[in-house]
Amino acid sequence: MSHRTLAAVLVVVALGGACSSPPEVPVGPDGQPDPVLAQGRDIFGSRCSSCHGTSGGGNRGPNIQSEAVTTKYPDIADQTRVIGEGRNQMPAFGNRLTPQEIEAVARYTREVL
Ligand code: HEC
């Protein structure tokens, strides 16, 4: 393989990786991402993005990016209830995630997506 071809392959791999992982949590004033939001990102990537899209923009499930969810659910408790109990084609996560994990993923969608 020529160096040129190899470089092109590496670019494709790098872009592919960027597209398939959810948006990073921005770092705070201490230079670290909020650990709860980082946990929410992991949960989002493993449990939610398959239906809601890598960036939460919607796919099988609706758009759950910050503007959509904070408009529809001004109180986060109403959003965590949907995640815990499920609704129609949305599976219930109350028996698979702890309340703290549900809160973390809800915060990630509200504050990062
Ligand atoms: C199997 C596909 C699927 C998975 C996995 C899934 N969802 Fe959903 N989700 C849906 C669908 C479909 C709806 C729309 C439900 C309805 O029509 O009432 C929905 C609705 C929602 C809503 C309400 C949106 C609104 O506009 O009212 C939220 C919030 C939500 N999902 C969050 C999550 C989170 C967080 C996860 C991961 C823990 C997740 N979903 C995983 C399919 C999924």
Side-chain angles (χ1 to χ4, degrees):
M1 198 187 291
S2 74
H3 284 289
R4 231 200 164 95
T5 312
L6 181 61
V9 168
L10 290 176
V11 165
V12 169
V13 170
L15 290 176
C19 292
S20 58
S21 65
E24 297 275 357
V25 177
V27 295
D30 62 353
Q32 297 294 322
D34 178 332
V36 175
L37 293 178
Q39 178 194 26
R41 176 177 183 260
D42 287 345
I43 296 167
F44 181 81
S46 59
R47 311 267 192 159
C48 321
S49 62
S50 57
C51 287
H52 288 281
T54 306
S55 302
N59 185 9
R60 239 178 103 185
N63 180 327
I64 53 168
Q65 287 172 338
S66 50
E67 202 181 313
V69 285
T70 56
T71 303
K72 193 158 179 183
Y73 304 100
D75 184 347
I76 190 173
D78 295 319
Q79 186 187 349
T80 53
R81 189 172 314 119
V82 174
I83 300 168
E85 296 176 1
R87 201 178 66 203
N88 302 317
Q89 299 303 304
M90 163 73 189
F93 285 90
N95 54 354
R96 285 176 277 175
L97 296 174
T98 66
Q100 191 274 328
E101 289 171 326
I102 291 176
E103 175 105 8
V105 72
R107 275 193 55 205
Y108 174 76
T109 66
R110 298 171 81 87
E111 298 174 40
V112 180
L113 294 184

